[in-house]
Amino acid sequence: DTGVSQNPRHKITKRGQNVTFRCDPISEHNRLYWYRQTLGQGPEFLTYFQNEAQLEKSRLLSDRFSAERPKGSFSTLEIQRTEQGDSAMYLCASSFLAGGTDTQYFGPGTRLTVL
Amino acid sequence: DAKTTQPTSMDCAEGRAANLPCNHSTISGNEYVYWYRQIHSQGPQYIIHGLKNNETNEMASLIITEDRKSSTLILPHATLRDTAVYYCIVRVLGGATNKLIFGTGTLLAVQP
């Protein structure tokens, strides 16, 4: 078990460009979550998948954001036409419902800087 | 999910116990108390969770009051590596939403 992995760890882009982040959950975890964290704040929920189905999306997930989990394994988060306000740490977490508990384990995050 | 209240910051001497309080006075009967921590520039790390009873694992102990309106996370022998932001979260399991709602947490500074 290598934990949740995220790539890239850092991304610098110019305003208006598109970026895509990847998350590989812990093996056998059927639930996957994306969060966003800005400086000095706690993480904020963006979206949640159970297997390949996207079951919940936050109001924070504007139409420039899209997330997929095509085969119920890894997930991608794409931001189109990036804005400076998109600069943040993007965190992925995964979990598996067992015995009534569903503990989310987080990856190291992808830090996005939009110039 | 119920809201939690935590002190903004706390100090603790290395080797001493760190006791981090959390108030969750509006907690419902089916809401669990979760604790995570986040070391600078890393992803949040799960510590422990509980419903009613006190819980202990290799990282920490969780003490929940009988009325469940508050809890305390105890790090028995704090080290410099325990310096982090600690988040207390209440969450329904199996509810309509599975998201974690983070506040601003408590910044624990362990002093040498």
Side-chain angles (χ1 to χ4, degrees):
Chain A
D1 180 0
T2 57
V4 178
S5 62
Q6 294 187 245
N7 288 288
R9 295 292 308 278
H10 302 273
K11 178 70 177 178
I12 300 174
T13 191
K14 293 182 179 179
R15 189 175 53 187
Q17 297 295 305
N18 299 344
V19 294
T20 300
F21 309 141
R22 176 176 170 128
C23 171
D24 287 90
I26 294 171
S27 298
E28 309 304 323
H29 279 194
N30 61 341
R31 296 178 169 183
L32 188 146
Y33 311 78
W34 286 98
Y35 292 80
R36 182 174 70 182
Q37 186 174 24
T38 54
L39 199 61
Q41 302 298 314
E44 296 174 291
F45 170 79
L46 291 178
T47 190
Y48 153 62
F49 290 86
Q50 180 156 310
N51 299 313
E52 65 275 9
Q54 188 173 19
L55 297 185
E56 186 174 357
K57 292 194 290 186
S58 162
R59 291 172 300 172
L60 294 174
L61 213 66
S62 75
D63 56 5
R64 296 185 298 106
F65 288 69
S66 62
E68 294 183 343
R69 195 182 182 201
K71 297 183 179 179
S73 56
F74 73 91
S75 175
T76 58
L77 177 68
E78 181 183 17
I79 308 174
Q80 296 182 327
R81 305 180 304 280
T82 53
E83 302 173 355
Q84 288 184 325
D86 297 331
S87 294
M89 174 80 86
Y90 290 84
L91 294 159
C92 176
S94 70
S95 70
F96 181 74
L97 182 63
T101 63
D102 177 26
T103 298
Q104 295 181 29
Y105 295 92
F106 285 80
T110 295
R111 182 167 297 283
L112 173 66
T113 301
V114 182
L115 302 177
Chain B
D1 293 325
K3 183 177 178 179
T4 62
T5 304
Q6 300 177 251
T8 303
S9 63
M10 295 181 62
D11 288 343
C12 177
E14 189 177 18
R16 304 299 292 269
N19 296 279
L20 292 96
C22 179
N23 286 321
H24 30 80
S25 58
T26 60
I27 193 169
S28 301
N30 61 348
E31 287 184 309
Y32 287 72
V33 179
Y34 275 76
W35 284 84
Y36 282 79
R37 74 180 183 184
Q38 189 170 26
I39 297 170
H40 182 62
S41 295
Q42 298 182 19
Q45 178 188 22
Y46 166 75
I47 301 174
I48 199 167
H49 74 280
L51 182 62
K52 297 180 183 178
N53 300 321
N54 298 336
E55 302 289 339
T56 296
N57 63 21
E58 64 278 5
M59 289 184 67
S61 295
L62 173 60
I63 308 299
I64 302 174
T65 58
E66 192 170 343
D67 63 7
R68 303 208 323 123
K69 292 184 177 182
S70 65
S71 60
T72 301
L73 179 74
I74 301 173
L75 307 179
H77 305 287
T79 70
L80 298 179
R81 289 178 294 180
D82 292 321
T83 292
V85 177
Y86 287 77
Y87 296 100
C88 169
I89 300 166
V90 295
R91 176 174 175 240
V92 175
L93 286 183
T97 179
N98 289 286
K99 63 187 176 187
L100 295 172
I101 300 174
F102 290 80
T104 51
T106 296
L107 174 58
L108 175 69
V110 180
Q111 309 290 345

